[in-house]
Amino acid sequence: MSNSGHISRKRGVAHQTASPTLELKRVSVAYVSGASSGLTLRGAQHAVERYALEDISLKVGAGDRVAVVGPNGAGKSTLLGLVVGTVKPSTGQVNVYGHGPTGHTCIAYVPQRSRIDWTFPVTVKDVVMMGRVAQIGMFRWPGRRDHAIVRACLEKVNALHLMQEQIGELSGGQQQRIFIARALAQEAELLLMDEPLTGLDAPSRDAIFEILDRLQSEGVTVLVATHDLKMAAARFDQIMLLNRRIVAYGSPATVLNPENLLTAYGGGEMVVSESPAKSKSAAE
């Protein structure tokens, strides 16, 4: 069948397969600075309009692996929030497979580890099973197939032996692998990761990229926000250099040149390569 009109049927929003996995059309996220209110949402009277992101347009295809790099405050987390649907654009349009992000079950998001409450008493199995909620529906008990999928996803990330462990007791690398397993259980086709490698040692990073390599071969699209330019250049096919606007987007060789870096960072500090932490390995 021609790809011009074929729509795949799954739980959640039906995909228009002729459309890119992700497309942003002239998207801006505006904030305003009032005289006494600090940064507030757009709409305050006599306020000066400022932008967290401005005039962002891009297309990302199935199986693409994109590193989103830029200085602090560049809008990397805001960009991921737009795709997930937790951040609403002030202008422009965000589409996932031809539709807005709301209602999709195919989008999985791994937030920064610092934003997760690791003290919450939940097992690894429970965390991964959360990924099945999008497929089985709210207020329904998981069935035999769902339990089998959870086990299979943990096995794929080499974490089946951790199934009954508390998530907060794992190493950083193990925790990231569990969240990837949750995305696999969700049957995600678009995986978003916000600074997933910060604080991980070299073996842990290698283990994460082995999983991402496998996902790419299966057609899963991955966007990773990172500060590490050297890692982005070595591990990613495409790089988005961001500082509220897209400075450059393309292959590492075309994006990471002195002119673009000066435009994005100015005189600010660039993280060329983060030193891997000396912590427990993800292989444990």
Side-chain angles (χ1 to χ4, degrees):
M1 182 179 291
S2 170
N3 65 3
S4 61
H6 178 65
I7 298 177
S8 58
R9 299 292 180 183
K10 321 181 75 170
R11 180 179 287 275
V13 176
H15 289 178
Q16 183 69 46
T17 55
S19 300
T21 299
L22 172 64
E23 184 174 16
L24 274 65
K25 300 178 181 178
R26 307 206 66 177
V27 171
S28 294
V29 178
Y31 293 86
V32 294
S33 180
S36 60
S37 62
L39 287 177
T40 60
L41 290 176
R42 182 180 183 179
Q45 292 183 348
H46 311 299
V48 177
E49 190 171 76
R50 301 182 186 274
Y51 290 93
L53 289 172
E54 186 174 4
D55 200 23
I56 303 294
S57 294
L58 63 91
K59 291 182 181 180
V60 183
D64 287 352
R65 192 159 83 187
V66 181
V68 183
V69 301
N72 290 329
K76 298 187 294 294
S77 295
T78 302
L79 178 68
L80 298 187
L82 280 168
V83 181
V84 176
T86 56
V87 175
K88 304 300 180 184
S90 303
T91 60
Q93 190 174 7
V94 180
N95 284 327
V96 176
Y97 288 107
H99 302 275
T102 303
H104 281 279
T105 62
C106 66
I107 306 171
Y109 174 56
V110 179
Q112 294 181 22
R113 293 183 64 251
S114 60
R115 298 184 179 182
I116 299 173
D117 180 8
W118 298 109
T119 65
F120 189 78
V122 62
T123 67
V124 164
K125 182 180 179 180
D126 292 335
V127 170
V128 180
M129 187 61 77
M130 291 175 189
R132 294 299 304 158
V133 171
Q135 298 299 330
I136 64 179
M138 293 291 290
F139 310 116
R140 295 183 61 185
W141 291 103
R144 182 180 301 176
R145 179 173 179 269
D146 300 300
H147 287 284
I149 288 173
V150 166
R151 291 181 62 89
C153 292
L154 283 169
E155 192 168 16
K156 283 184 178 180
V157 301
N158 192 28
L160 185 59
H161 63 292
L162 301 172
M163 188 166 62
Q164 300 302 332
E165 299 292 332
Q166 293 290 316
I167 188 69
E169 297 177 356
L170 304 184
S171 70
Q174 290 170 335
Q175 289 168 342
Q176 293 295 50
R177 283 160 47 209
I178 299 312
F179 274 85
I180 294 175
R182 185 181 70 172
L184 295 176
Q186 185 179 328
E187 301 177 36
E189 297 171 59
L190 175 57
L191 175 61
L192 313 173
M193 305 181 77
D194 196 353
E195 301 289 349
L197 307 174
T198 299
L200 302 189
D201 60 12
S204 297
R205 293 184 179 197
D206 289 342
I208 297 299
F209 276 109
E210 286 179 7
I211 298 168
L212 295 184
D213 289 343
R214 191 181 316 129
L215 292 179
Q216 186 176 31
S217 70
E218 296 171 358
V220 177
T221 304
V222 178
L223 269 68
V224 175
T226 179
H227 285 89
D228 192 327
L229 296 178
K230 184 177 180 181
M231 182 272 293
R235 298 282 199 167
F236 287 82
D237 305 320
Q238 299 182 66
I239 293 179
M240 181 192 305
L241 184 56
L242 185 71
N243 192 348
R244 303 194 181 189
R245 288 175 173 264
I246 295 179
V247 176
Y249 181 31
S251 68
T254 58
V255 170
L256 299 180
N257 60 56
E259 182 180 355
N260 287 338
L261 293 174
L262 182 62
T263 300
Y265 290 89
E269 182 179 355
M270 293 179 288
V271 180
V272 176
S273 182
E274 295 179 351
S275 298
K278 294 182 179 179
S279 60
K280 290 194 288 184
S281 167
E284 292 179 356

